[in-house]
Amino acid sequence: MRKDRSTSIEISENDKRHESYLNILDGIHSSILPGYDIKKILYNEAWFCLEMDRRKVWDAILHYIVFPPYRLDIDIANSDVVTFYVKNYRNDHDGYWKKILKDLGKHDEITVLSEKNRKEKLKDLSVVGVLKRLSWFIRFLIELSPISCKKDKYHLAIQLMLNKEILQQIEKMDLHPKIAMCFFDSAPYANLIMQYFKKIGAVTITNQHGQPVFRSLQFDRMNQSQILNFSCDYYLAKGRFTVKQFEKAGYEGNRIIPIGVVGDNGFGENVGHKDDIIGIYLDTPSFPGAKVNNLKMIEMVSRYAKEANYKYFIKTHPTDRSSRYKHFFKDPKCFGVYGSDKTLSETFSFTRIAIVHASSTYIDAYFHEVKCFKYVTNICFPIAREDDEFENIEELVKKINEWNEREEIDKRNYVKKVKKEYDYGWREGTVNTILEKLGGDL
């Protein structure tokens, strides 16, 4: 058995600052957003502001007060169910949300769109709107005065201003749904809007985003925000593994409902029938030690590829820049560095073995019948089976060789076993059935 590394994690300076900001926000009662939990609204932003430079913050202030960076796409027919989604133009998120909505059936939709052309921006230009947003921004700055760092305070104030404007638009719709559902209730705008619908009497529901893992209340809170900032009444989980993570954090199990992977068409027959290609799936840059561990994974796979005649590619996290890794093209064994130009599903179609460190891609790989190994460091991210873990290149080589020697039927049975831990087993109409149960007779 591998030792529990959660007690050996060093709490970083950013962890400490994030915690101090959350404590400050917990005590702020806004006159512009009365009755709303400011800490929950800004939970993630209280981390993001730590990594932003002053120029970006000033650019956001000057631009967003004049031109709000979004518009609402609204499809309302007075249904008992309303959905709220912040479109972030990621194929994995947007595609999965569409599957959820299809399985839901009849509903109303509110979607926040962030891409606008010049004509749309000019159409939104209004002197009254500019003055209104400016007054909100100034008042939020005053309410956030306990935060001493000017750059961070300004970033948080501008985020509250944007949240307030979206809330105001939705309040004008005068909706009274029985159920309000979002994709991720710690995401920008979603937390506030779910708080709003809860205040007017709706049952609020959020869905699983990636694979949440409970690690600690003391560090890396932002990457655990799906658990630690869970704000809705209920959470629709993909599998029992997820339910256990929320229970570790102290949530009541009946609030976390396993429904399976929506749209999953079941197990295929593709295990092992692919070229000798290894995919390296990098951590999000915000994860502790990501820069070092990403490079270590690439180095180990590069060494193995040369010895075993494999090829490999690098897939960056959507929040990372693929240009950071372009120099690996110098390695003749590396044939690609992919960012948003390729989806996970597209890369899995030609991947025989996937390598991860602290990423829910471990689970995505198995859902696509791709064998996955997890690099284990002192970073506690207990997501993988011990059979799939390695700590050094010698162990990786040994485990790849052992896997390649297994019979195909044995490989398929192993993949089925892994998938069962993370996928409860979705059936068509599950989302609709669950919402009917939670909201009464709709």
Side-chain angles (χ1 to χ4, degrees), residues 389-401:
E389 296 180 336
F390 69 96
E391 294 182 341
N392 50 58
I393 188 169
E394 291 77 20
E395 197 170 0
L396 174 62
V397 171
K398 180 176 181 290
K399 292 200 170 187
I400 291 179
N401 290 339

Side-chain angles (χ1 to χ4, degrees), residues 144-255:
L144 293 169
S145 59
I147 295 178
S148 59
C149 177
K150 187 178 296 186
K151 183 258 297 182
D152 295 348
K153 177 167 56 182
Y154 281 18
H155 172 78
L156 296 176
I158 206 73
Q159 297 307 313
L160 286 176
M161 181 201 78
L162 296 173
N163 271 270
K164 170 63 178 178
E165 182 152 54
I166 286 186
L167 173 63
Q168 188 177 70
Q169 293 183 51
I170 292 178
E171 286 176 327
K172 290 178 180 178
M173 297 178 194
D174 195 30
L175 301 174
H176 296 280
K178 290 184 179 180
I179 288 181
M181 182 173 71
C182 67
F183 179 62
F184 173 34
D185 67 357
S186 196
Y189 316 130
N191 191 281
L192 173 62
I193 300 308
M194 289 300 104
Q195 286 192 49
Y196 165 72
F197 282 121
K198 185 182 288 190
K199 285 181 68 172
I200 64 174
V203 175
T204 55
I205 300 169
T206 185
N207 289 268
Q208 180 171 334
H209 159 59
Q211 179 55 63
V213 174
F214 176 68
R215 304 173 68 217
S216 171
L217 296 173
Q218 306 302 318
F219 58 85
D220 196 34
R221 291 189 179 189
M222 196 282 289
N223 282 309
Q224 299 176 90
S225 66
Q226 193 169 177
I227 297 176
L228 301 183
N229 201 38
F230 170 43
S231 304
C232 288
D233 296 308
Y234 297 97
Y235 178 100
L236 302 187
K238 293 177 180 178
R240 290 292 187 189
F241 180 87
T242 302
V243 177
K244 292 177 183 177
Q245 302 307 309
F246 277 84
E247 289 175 343
K248 285 181 182 178
Y251 291 101
E252 297 176 3
N254 61 357
R255 294 180 62 193

Side-chain angles (χ1 to χ4, degrees), residues 252-435:
E252 297 176 3
N254 61 357
R255 294 180 62 193
I256 318 301
I257 305 172
I259 65 169
V261 179
V262 177
D264 180 19
N265 294 320
F267 180 74
E269 296 291 332
N270 297 319
V271 178
H273 296 287
K274 296 177 183 178
D275 294 331
D276 289 340
I277 292 175
I278 298 177
I280 310 171
Y281 296 84
L282 305 185
D283 290 346
T284 172
S286 64
F287 202 85
K291 184 176 180 180
V292 172
N293 291 315
N294 282 341
L295 293 177
K296 284 184 177 179
M297 281 197 299
I298 296 172
E299 179 186 346
M300 282 188 284
V301 171
S302 175
R303 284 178 57 191
Y304 176 74
K306 291 174 184 176
E307 296 174 5
N309 201 28
Y310 269 73
K311 292 184 178 180
Y312 71 91
F313 66 85
I314 298 166
K315 178 73 170 76
T316 64
H317 188 272
T319 60
D320 204 351
R321 298 194 311 273
S322 58
S323 59
R324 290 180 179 178
Y325 308 94
K326 291 295 185 182
H327 63 280
F328 284 101
F329 272 136
K330 296 178 181 178
D331 184 348
K333 292 294 184 178
C334 178
F335 68 88
V337 179
Y338 305 121
S340 58
D341 51 324
K342 281 195 183 295
T343 65
L344 285 177
S345 296
E346 288 172 333
T347 62
F348 289 142
S349 67
F350 51 79
T351 305
R352 185 181 182 90
I353 292 172
I355 305 294
V356 303
H357 172 242
S359 171
S360 61
T361 303
Y362 172 83
I363 297 168
D364 295 322
Y366 275 109
F367 286 160
H368 288 78
E369 292 87 45
V370 173
K371 173 64 176 177
C372 190
F373 292 103
K374 179 187 180 299
Y375 177 39
V376 176
T377 66
N378 65 333
I379 298 295
C380 176
F381 194 72
I383 194 174
R385 292 171 64 92
E386 187 173 336
D387 290 346
D388 293 334
E389 296 180 336
F390 69 96
E391 294 182 341
N392 50 58
I393 188 169
E394 291 77 20
E395 197 170 0
L396 174 62
V397 171
K398 180 176 181 290
K399 292 200 170 187
I400 291 179
N401 290 339
E402 289 175 348
W403 174 257
N404 287 339
E405 291 172 1
R406 295 172 77 161
E407 298 291 334
E408 292 303 314
I409 186 65
D410 189 25
K411 291 179 180 178
R412 285 195 288 272
N413 288 336
Y414 183 84
V415 173
K416 285 181 181 179
K417 185 186 295 185
V418 176
K419 288 181 67 174
K420 191 174 181 180
E421 294 180 20
Y422 304 98
D423 184 356
Y424 189 69
W426 168 83
R427 296 292 182 270
E428 188 173 350
T430 296
V431 177
N432 179 267
T433 301
I434 292 294
L435 265 62

Side-chain angles (χ1 to χ4, degrees), residues 65-66 124-134:
I65 289 177
V66 179
D124 290 338
L125 183 60
S126 160
V127 174
V128 174
V130 170
L131 294 175
K132 175 188 67 176
R133 288 188 289 275
L134 179 60

